Amino acid sequence: MPKRTLDRLPLRWTLLDKLEAIARFLWPARLRGATGWLFITPALLLVGVLLIGLGYMIEYSLHELDLSTYRLKDAYTLDNYVFLVEQPVYLRVLLRTLLAATLVTAMTLFLAFPYAYLMVRTPSSALRKFLLVSLFLPFFIGQVVRAYGWLIILGKEGIINTVLLKMGLPALDLIYNYGAVVFGLVQYMLPFAVLLIVPAITAIGEDIELAAESLGANWLRAFWHVVLPMARPGLVGAGVVVFTLSMTDFAMPEILGGGTTDFIASAIYDSFFQLSNSGLGAALSIVLVTLGSILVAIVFRLTGAGTLSIRQ
Amino acid sequence: MSTAANMVEIRNVSRAFGQSVAVDNANLTLQRGDFLTIVGPSGCGKTTLLRMIAGFDEPSRGEILINGQNVASVPAYQRSIGMVFQKLALFPHMTAFENVAFPLRMRRFNPALIPELVDRYLSLVKLDHLAARRPHQLSGGQQQRVAIARALSFSPDLLLLDEPLSALDKKLREEMQLEFRRIQQELGVTTINVTHDQREALVMSDHMIVMDEGVVQQSNTPREIYNRPGNRFVAGFLGVTSMFKGRVSAIQDGLLSVDMGGVTMTARGNDALFSIGDAIDCAVRAEQITLLEEGAQARENTVTGLVRQRIFEGDRMVYEVRVEDMNDSSLYVFDHNPGKHGEHDVDTTVRLGWNAESFYAFPVVK
């Protein structure tokens, strides 16, 4: 009969035992209740730094730029905000941004849902892998490179226009307009949306859909009355993420918009680095953050707290 | 509505997935109001058969008739079938009331009548007081009841049960078996139940089908199948059965003399299937074997063996006995007399006897 314990334990076991002993020494058992806090401390610190930054932004936004020195004046004032309200261009940029974010969100969800559904439900593992790889490939390229890729395809002398001219058709203005920006953003956001919707669809058992069918619902009704309501948490979560990312995006409007369709992020950038008016830029940033927070809060209020699968 | 004599008729139905045959040439007829249970081990094809009846899957060959109508071209949502799923598949975003109302809305019942119908079926399953609850606010047994009410509220021709009780604990499961039976008889709805639980099959059904490897092994009433198993598989699947190998040494009037190694025994079998010298399998159920007391009269088949194991199951003692004279085979025997549970110790000798009538002979399956 083999001995119950070995004389020499495998090295890996010995090392792990030592590590555990060190951990026990550094973090005695009576602290165990606080272990959870230990692990979220880094995250809390990160968020804390962010909040401090936000505090500074608020501070900045309350000082007017001194045009003689190009530094912020010491006196507290709401002039920056008044300026934003008085200049119609900022309202226009704001509305343009919100409209684009809304359009992008709607279109992205519309495209992402069937994609995610197929990915979850297909019995073919080859198709599932193909869909997954197709989803991630653009991820690896990065946003700026991707936007330039669109320039190559859609530009004045890009692939599409070259082909059109060869066929004797007039060239089209495919970039440097609103549509191009929305299009680019949808393409950029699709993977995020799909990845957020997939778990929601996975959570709907196939039995549920069969049950709906056997109870008399054709696929359209089963989809409308059962699948869609049950996938709502995933859809809302994806919607919020896509909306906020689109609303704050900088690269797509810059590159595909070519300066014709500035978003708020562009305006903020210009205030800081073109106008050197950090007070105005900070005020714009605060407006953006406030607006985004309010919209997200409204969505959560309307759809319940279970939206990001935090609570069901 | 047509009133065919048979509510369900399955004719030569097969279903193959690539090379593997899930259901092989199944036939069955089910009369209006009957309760049929299809029982078999997992992978025997019973679920595939049920899915084809429900319309979730199509036969590779053969036809299915429901209420006299060939349903080959009828999609699942247009068949008049209520189904209770293994995982229940209740809609979590709807209340019990809305769940039961769902098929009525989908099937375009008069909206004015829906609340009344829902109430009636929720009362039938004794849940009318919990109509406003969501599924996750209900216990397992209550969820079962919602699922039943939902499957029945639109008065389907046929009720299908896909192992809905398998997830429940034993006590609740047995309670729900009787409950299903009560509701089924109260409404007279034709029902097909699929299960791997032989007790459920025996308790609940008017009619029973045993399946294995895609093939219907036997189809009859539960009592008939239990008492007259048609083949080796059915004999072994139902009850606690002991199997022995032997060789036929004589045949007369449905009784076979079987050489079992050291002893010759008498078994029951169809004359036409056997000839002298054949290798056969013999089966006996544990409850048919009697522990013979000192000096008790021998049965048609009597052997002595060594107790290998005693298993106390509360209401009975189960002995595993090894019999040298029967090729050293083991057999199981029950002792239901509580006063005698301690009588036989491991490694002591016991004398066992059973009648030829309960000793089934089957040709060896090659």
Side-chain angles (χ1 to χ4, degrees):
Chain A
M1 195 165 149
K3 283 195 336 190
R4 277 198 55 195
T5 52
L6 294 172
D7 295 326
R8 274 178 57 84
L9 292 172
L11 182 63
R12 220 150 50 113
W13 291 15
T14 323
L15 281 177
L16 280 173
D17 289 350
K18 293 259 154 52
L19 276 176
E20 278 178 29
I22 294 169
R24 260 199 306 280
F25 175 73
L26 292 176
W27 195 257
R30 64 199 153 77
L31 289 178
R32 199 164 292 154
T35 306
W37 290 104
L38 179 71
F39 278 99
I40 62 164
T41 305
L44 287 179
L45 285 175
L46 264 174
V47 173
V49 169
L50 218 66
L51 281 177
I52 293 170
L54 202 62
Y56 271 100
M57 292 292 254
I58 295 173
E59 226 291 311
Y60 284 167
S61 74
L62 297 175
H63 298 286
E64 205 188 349
L65 186 71
D66 186 342
L67 283 172
S68 54
T69 59
Y70 264 86
R71 304 184 62 148
L72 296 179
K73 292 177 185 165
D74 282 340
Y76 283 95
T77 165
L78 285 174
D79 281 0
N80 284 322
Y81 292 99
V82 174
F83 182 74
L84 289 181
V85 176
E86 281 173 350
Q87 295 288 314
V89 63
Y90 288 109
L91 184 64
R92 214 159 50 231
V93 168
L94 183 68
L95 287 179
R96 179 193 293 147
T97 309
L98 288 180
L99 179 66
T102 309
L103 283 175
V104 168
T105 306
M107 287 163 70
T108 306
L109 291 184
F110 186 76
L111 294 175
F113 195 89
Y115 197 105
Y117 187 86
L118 187 63
M119 212 160 88
V120 173
R121 288 283 193 254
T122 176
S124 149
S125 72
L127 178 59
R128 188 177 2 261
K129 276 177 199 140
F130 172 77
L131 290 172
L132 203 63
V133 170
S134 317
L135 198 64
F136 273 109
L137 218 50
F139 250 167
F140 299 143
I141 299 169
Q143 202 192 353
V144 175
V145 176
R146 198 166 356 159
Y148 274 113
W150 284 121
L151 286 187
I152 295 171
I153 296 169
L154 304 174
K156 270 260 179 313
E157 284 154 18
I159 294 171
I160 292 184
N161 276 332
T162 312
V163 171
L164 286 177
L165 286 174
K166 282 251 166 67
M167 290 164 65
L169 296 166
L172 296 172
D173 276 332
L174 294 171
I175 48 160
Y176 302 139
N177 56 37
Y178 203 60
V181 175
V182 169
F183 173 78
L185 277 172
V186 168
Q187 201 259 346
Y188 175 51
M189 296 298 165
L190 199 61
F192 295 107
V194 171
L195 290 179
L196 284 163
I197 293 171
V198 159
I201 294 176
T202 311
I204 306 171
E206 222 164 346
D207 269 7
I208 292 267
E209 283 178 64
L210 290 180
E213 205 183 329
S214 81
L215 293 169
N218 57 28
W219 80 262
L220 190 66
R221 289 194 206 157
F223 179 80
W224 183 253
H225 293 286
V226 176
V227 177
L228 210 52
M230 284 182 72
R232 205 179 61 171
L235 282 170
V236 172
V240 166
V241 168
V242 170
F243 187 84
T244 42
L245 284 180
S246 304
M247 192 172 71
T248 53
D249 197 62
F250 177 70
M252 282 297 165
E254 277 300 302
I255 301 170
L256 286 181
T260 62
T261 49
D262 277 0
F263 278 19
I264 295 190
S266 321
I268 294 171
Y269 182 89
D270 288 348
S271 308
F272 274 107
F273 300 106
Q274 307 284 332
L275 307 174
S276 294
N277 190 344
S278 47
L280 186 64
L284 264 171
S285 307
I286 297 301
V287 169
L288 184 59
V289 168
T290 310
L291 210 67
S293 308
I294 290 172
L295 286 171
V296 170
I298 289 173
V299 168
F300 280 171
R301 252 274 126 74
L302 290 180
T303 57
T307 41
L308 283 175
S309 323
I310 294 163
R311 194 163 58 85
Q312 195 66 51
Chain B
M1 192 187 282
S2 71
T3 45
N6 293 322
M7 186 54 96
V8 181
E9 239 184 296
I10 289 177
R11 294 179 186 159
N12 309 318
V13 163
S14 298
R15 177 69 171 104
F17 298 98
Q19 288 297 308
S20 69
V21 178
V23 175
D24 189 4
N25 198 30
N27 283 282
L28 76 87
T29 55
L30 183 58
Q31 287 184 358
R32 190 172 295 278
D34 264 6
F35 193 119
L36 167 75
T37 298
I38 305 175
V39 64
S42 41
C44 73
K46 57 189 193 294
T47 300
T48 307
L49 190 57
L50 197 76
R51 288 171 57 92
M52 288 191 287
I53 298 171
F56 303 144
D57 199 355
E58 283 170 27
S60 312
R61 262 184 307 118
E63 51 191 18
I64 297 171
L65 280 75
I66 297 171
N67 207 358
Q69 186 200 5
N70 187 336
V71 292
S73 58
V74 183
Y77 66 89
Q78 283 174 347
R79 298 187 185 186
S80 180
I81 293 176
M83 184 153 172
V84 184
F85 288 78
Q86 187 167 12
K87 291 178 195 152
L88 301 186
L90 293 175
F91 304 131
H93 58 296
M94 298 183 193
T95 63
F97 183 96
E98 288 163 340
N99 264 284
V100 179
F102 183 84
L104 302 172
R105 295 200 173 116
M106 291 302 117
R107 288 170 191 268
R108 298 298 183 242
F109 275 57
N110 179 353
L113 297 177
I114 289 178
E116 193 194 320
L117 275 170
V118 174
D119 281 344
R120 185 190 303 166
Y121 282 90
L122 280 175
S123 316
L124 180 75
V125 297
K126 300 168 187 158
L127 268 189
D128 33 338
H129 58 297
L130 298 176
R133 296 257 183 107
R134 297 266 171 104
H136 67 93
Q137 299 166 312
L138 297 169
S139 73
Q142 290 166 340
Q143 291 181 10
Q144 287 280 346
R145 290 163 188 275
V146 177
I148 302 167
R150 185 181 70 171
L152 289 172
S153 65
F154 57 101
S155 309
D157 283 346
L158 185 60
L159 175 66
L160 302 181
L161 310 174
D162 182 13
E163 306 204 41
L165 302 179
S166 58
L168 300 180
D169 63 70
K170 186 165 180 286
K171 211 172 160 68
L172 188 56
R173 187 166 67 232
E174 287 173 4
E175 185 190 316
M176 289 307 293
Q177 284 169 1
L178 299 178
E179 189 68 3
F180 266 98
R181 190 68 173 133
R182 172 185 73 80
I183 293 165
Q184 191 267 339
Q185 283 176 337
E186 208 169 308
L187 299 176
V189 59
T190 318
T191 303
I192 301 180
N193 175 38
V194 153
T195 184
H196 60 264
D197 178 350
Q198 49 163 301
R199 186 186 181 279
E200 185 181 315
L202 296 168
V203 168
M204 290 168 80
S205 342
D206 300 313
H207 202 92
M208 177 170 157
I209 282 179
V210 182
M211 279 186 85
D212 186 44
E213 296 187 330
V215 178
V216 173
Q217 304 286 335
Q218 198 172 356
S219 163
N220 212 318
T221 62
R223 279 179 79 157
E224 195 62 22
I225 289 186
Y226 190 88
N227 291 327
R228 296 181 180 278
N231 60 34
R232 187 185 189 281
F233 174 81
V234 177
F237 185 73
L238 298 176
V240 178
T241 311
S242 307
M243 291 277 184
F244 312 98
K245 298 220 166 297
R247 202 167 281 281
V248 181
S249 60
I251 308 175
Q252 196 183 14
D253 302 332
L255 290 179
L256 312 175
S257 292
V258 187
D259 179 4
M260 320 257 358
V263 289
T264 300
M265 295 196 157
T266 316
R268 179 177 91 180
N270 183 350
D271 283 5
L273 294 175
F274 305 97
S275 45
I276 290 170
D278 280 0
I280 61 167
D281 287 319
C282 292
V284 62
R285 295 249 168 68
E287 72 272 15
Q288 301 286 1
I289 306 176
T290 314
L291 281 157
L292 297 173
E293 306 204 6
E294 206 72 33
Q297 204 190 345
R299 300 294 174 88
E300 286 161 299
N301 298 307
T302 304
V303 288
T304 49
L306 206 62
V307 175
R308 302 284 300 164
Q309 224 189 141
R310 305 198 301 187
I311 306 148
F312 179 60
E313 290 189 353
D315 57 342
R316 66 190 180 196
M317 187 68 89
V318 181
Y319 293 101
E320 185 197 341
V321 180
R322 199 178 71 200
V323 184
E324 212 176 319
D325 285 345
M326 300 171 78
N327 299 321
D328 253 350
S329 312
S330 287
L331 57 78
Y332 291 93
V333 55
F334 297 150
D335 189 349
H336 283 284
N337 185 343
K340 293 187 173 179
H341 278 174
E343 203 160 70
H344 303 287
D345 285 321
V346 171
D347 283 340
T348 58
T349 306
V350 289
R351 205 154 70 101
L352 307 169
W354 63 92
N355 292 330
E357 182 66 15
S358 43
F359 201 31
Y360 317 112
F362 303 109
V364 172
V365 186
K366 296 210 172 63

